[in-house]
Amino acid sequence: MNNTSNTLVDTIIEALQDKKGKSIVIADLSSIPEAACQKFIICTGGSPAQVQALADNVIDETRNKLRIRPLAIDGMRHAMWVAMDYAEAIVHIFLPEEREFYDIEHLWADADLTEIPDID
């Protein structure tokens, strides 16, 4: 993975931690040819308002620090599961029930998972 991708992932993680995102996991899909991107970044928010705040902060931080915007965002209206497409990385921010139900970090059995410690 190149430095731009590392910087993007680092910026996204910092933005999620800044708004108290929990159970952050990075799924590295770079060794899976059929994957839509190189990384999934998965996070849990405690309420729809927090899910929206997490997504807003990712948008703000990637725009301010890296001068990039997501190609697409889906789910902001109900803020139960927000997906943000940054081409080489897709950010998924879930409510706890939604994350447990969809369990997307285990969708790709070959992906390397990295758990990021919660900041309290």
Side-chain angles (χ1 to χ4, degrees), residues 20-105:
K20 308 290 190 237
K22 299 291 183 195
S23 304
I24 300 169
V25 172
I26 302 168
D28 185 343
L29 309 173
S30 59
S31 65
I32 304 170
E34 59 274 10
C37 63
Q38 294 182 358
K39 305 276 186 184
F40 271 3
I41 302 162
I42 305 153
C43 176
T44 301
S47 67
Q50 186 186 18
V51 168
Q52 197 159 36
L54 288 160
D56 287 341
N57 203 47
V58 169
I59 293 165
D60 292 344
E61 291 299 306
T62 55
R63 184 183 63 231
N64 294 337
K65 292 182 178 175
L66 305 175
R67 305 276 188 258
I68 60 173
R69 297 172 188 256
L71 301 173
I73 302 169
D74 192 27
M76 290 291 273
R77 172 175 280 183
H78 299 291
M80 295 169 61
W81 172 7
V82 174
M84 308 168 73
D85 184 352
Y86 281 93
E88 65 255 18
I90 298 177
V91 183
H92 299 273
I93 307 169
F94 289 97
L95 288 178
E97 319 73 71
E98 302 294 316
R99 182 168 180 178
E100 185 178 332
F101 180 78
Y102 289 103
D103 192 27
I104 65 168
E105 54 257 59

Side-chain angles (χ1 to χ4, degrees), residues 1-14 41 61-62 65-66 68 88:
M1 185 160 74
N2 62 38
N3 285 340
T4 304
S5 297
N6 285 333
T7 303
L8 174 62
V9 170
D10 291 345
T11 301
I12 291 167
I13 298 298
E14 289 172 14
I41 302 162
E61 291 299 306
T62 55
K65 292 182 178 175
L66 305 175
I68 60 173
E88 65 255 18

